[in-house]
Amino acid sequence: MSSSMAIDILHFTQQYSLYSTSFIFTVGTIGNLLNILVFTTLKLFRNNQCVLYVVTESITNIFQLTIFALIYILIALYQTDPAGSSLFWCKLRGMMVILCTLISFSTICFSASHQYLSTSPLLHLRQLSTIKTVRFLICASVVISILHTIPFGIFTVIQASVCGIFNQSMSNYVSYFYYPVLSGLLPVLIASVFSILAYNNVRRIVRRQVPIVRRRLDQQLTAMILIRIIVFIVLTLPYDIQRMYTYITKVNQSNLLYYAINYLIGAVLITLFNLNYAISFYIFFITSARFRRQVKHVLVKNCWRRCKRWFLHSRNQVNPNENIRSPESSVVLD
């Protein structure tokens, strides 16, 4: 009885994961592309350091969502996990997920810290917030994240058709440092502290002699990032706790029903966690009236008009004679 129930739970979980991942991939890709479009199109954002982090995060999120979608689509196509038979895919998917997670989370932390620096009343702190610094930190984040994924690629192997990390030392690192600290408490703590400090700076920015355009932009970005980080904390901590528990207690298929229940809980929590890579645009859009106006401006006044001009230009090239009046048509009959 329990074995039959466990099989039903596992089958439901696989279907749930496939549909939820497909939905998040679709919604998230659209949202991240709109983020990139809005923040790179408007002149107001082009020279802002914090925006460069948001664009980098959006690009990374698209790669992350693509990997997640491929994982579940391949399982649905082959009716089994290809990572259990293909060592290349087993190593690649794990390395890419970790790489994109570290880059995405580091840019969230950097955006909060740079917003604090750019709104600081102290001149020497504001001078640290430069485009050059942003580019250096992004490059350093990418390089360090790539180096960090190398041990995962080495120790990720296939045993009994299961793709995973079976080395005890590496397993301890994942259980006691990577999930609870590196992708859990550390980014949450850094992002929270700097967001609160930036929010306090913005509240006092009215007293300083700051141009009103700059003041409104700082207030807008700080509020957007603060709400983004609150959502980030809510979505990240439950998944990290569950993953830590799975690694520490060595959950396996010896007790199939217990394994199936834990698998279902993990699938629900990973869906919430994956929303981190999909909903930044929608958070900005819902919480900021000014951002909604900016999105409308980009989509309606820029993109729509360009598409319309392109369509009319293409139509004129296809039928050039339609715009040329024949001699007979210009004759006026009395």
Side-chain angles (χ1 to χ4, degrees):
M1 181 67 179
S2 61
S3 177
S4 175
M5 184 182 296
I7 293 172
D8 290 339
I9 293 174
L10 289 173
H11 178 71
F12 170 78
T13 304
Q14 288 179 351
Q15 295 299 311
Y16 164 79
S17 298
L18 174 63
Y19 291 118
S20 62
T21 303
S22 301
F23 173 76
I24 291 175
F25 170 75
T26 304
V27 173
T29 302
I30 294 171
N32 284 305
L33 289 174
L34 287 173
N35 260 349
I36 296 169
L37 178 65
V38 173
F39 286 118
T40 56
T41 301
L42 290 178
K43 294 181 180 179
L44 178 68
F45 293 124
R46 285 180 186 173
N47 295 322
N48 188 278
Q49 298 86 353
C50 188
V51 166
L52 189 55
Y53 289 124
V54 176
V55 172
T56 303
E57 181 197 349
S58 297
I59 295 171
T60 305
N61 289 345
I62 292 173
F63 281 101
Q64 183 77 300
L65 292 171
T66 303
I67 292 294
F68 286 145
L70 281 175
I71 290 173
Y72 291 105
I73 289 172
L74 290 175
I75 292 175
L77 289 175
Y78 293 100
Q79 296 300 312
T80 184
D81 189 355
S85 56
S86 171
L87 184 61
F88 173 77
W89 175 241
C90 172
K91 291 178 179 291
L92 178 65
R93 73 173 192 178
M95 292 176 68
M96 286 300 297
V97 167
I98 292 167
L99 175 64
C100 293
T101 298
L102 292 177
I103 295 175
S104 181
F105 284 12
S106 62
T107 53
I108 291 173
C109 295
F110 290 150
S111 64
S113 62
H114 259 72
Q115 199 58 26
Y116 160 70
L117 293 175
S118 65
T119 57
S120 174
L122 303 176
L123 178 61
H124 68 279
L125 290 181
R126 293 200 303 274
Q127 289 175 339
L128 295 175
S129 178
T130 62
I131 290 291
K132 186 177 180 180
T133 304
V134 172
R135 290 171 179 167
F136 171 78
L137 289 175
I138 291 174
C139 292
S141 171
V142 172
V143 171
I144 293 172
S145 298
I146 291 173
L147 294 175
H148 182 267
T149 61
I150 293 175
F152 285 86
I154 295 172
F155 290 105
T156 301
V157 295
I158 299 174
Q159 288 187 10
S161 298
V162 177
C163 172
I165 297 173
F166 299 95
N167 179 275
Q168 188 60 47
S169 299
M170 192 63 185
S171 181
N172 289 337
Y173 170 79
V174 172
S175 303
Y176 300 107
F177 184 75
Y178 176 74
Y179 278 116
V181 179
L182 204 57
S183 66
L185 294 177
L186 186 61
V188 165
L189 183 63
I190 293 174
S192 301
V193 170
F194 281 110
S195 293
I196 294 171
L197 292 174
Y199 178 73
N200 289 331
N201 285 344
V202 168
R203 291 179 63 186
R204 296 194 298 264
I205 205 171
V206 180
R207 304 172 191 172
R208 290 162 37 203
Q209 297 298 320
V210 179
I212 189 168
V213 175
R214 167 69 187 278
R215 184 191 310 164
R216 288 178 178 174
L217 179 61
D218 285 335
Q219 290 172 340
Q220 176 190 2
L221 290 175
T222 303
M224 288 163 56
I225 290 171
L226 179 62
I227 297 171
R228 167 74 179 93
I229 287 169
I230 292 172
V231 175
F232 167 70
I233 294 170
V234 172
L235 297 177
T236 300
L237 286 181
Y239 172 71
D240 281 327
I241 293 171
Q242 191 271 341
R243 292 297 295 173
M244 236 182 351
Y245 170 79
T246 302
Y247 272 99
I248 292 173
T249 58
K250 308 294 183 185
V251 177
N252 53 55
Q253 299 186 28
S254 58
N255 185 337
L256 192 58
L257 181 59
Y258 178 66
Y259 172 82
I261 294 172
N262 184 74
Y263 187 53
L264 175 59
I265 295 172
V268 174
L269 293 179
I270 199 172
T271 299
L272 298 177
F273 177 77
N274 289 346
L275 287 174
N276 274 314
Y277 308 108
I279 62 172
S280 61
F281 169 80
Y282 304 102
I283 292 173
F284 299 155
F285 190 83
I286 292 171
T287 59
S288 174
R290 193 179 186 206
F291 186 71
R292 288 196 293 273
R293 292 194 297 269
Q294 290 162 343
V295 172
K296 182 180 178 181
H297 174 82
V298 170
L299 293 180
V300 176
K301 294 188 177 181
N302 290 358
C303 296
W304 171 248
R305 288 181 180 177
R306 287 179 183 177
C307 291
K308 190 176 179 180
R309 284 198 300 267
W310 176 83
F311 175 76
L312 293 174
H313 178 70
S314 300
R315 186 180 176 185
N316 290 338
Q317 285 189 333
V318 172
N319 301 306
N321 294 328
E322 288 183 0
N323 296 326
I324 302 176
R325 299 174 63 189
S326 61
E328 290 82 0
S329 63
S330 60
V331 176
V332 179
L333 298 178
D334 294 330

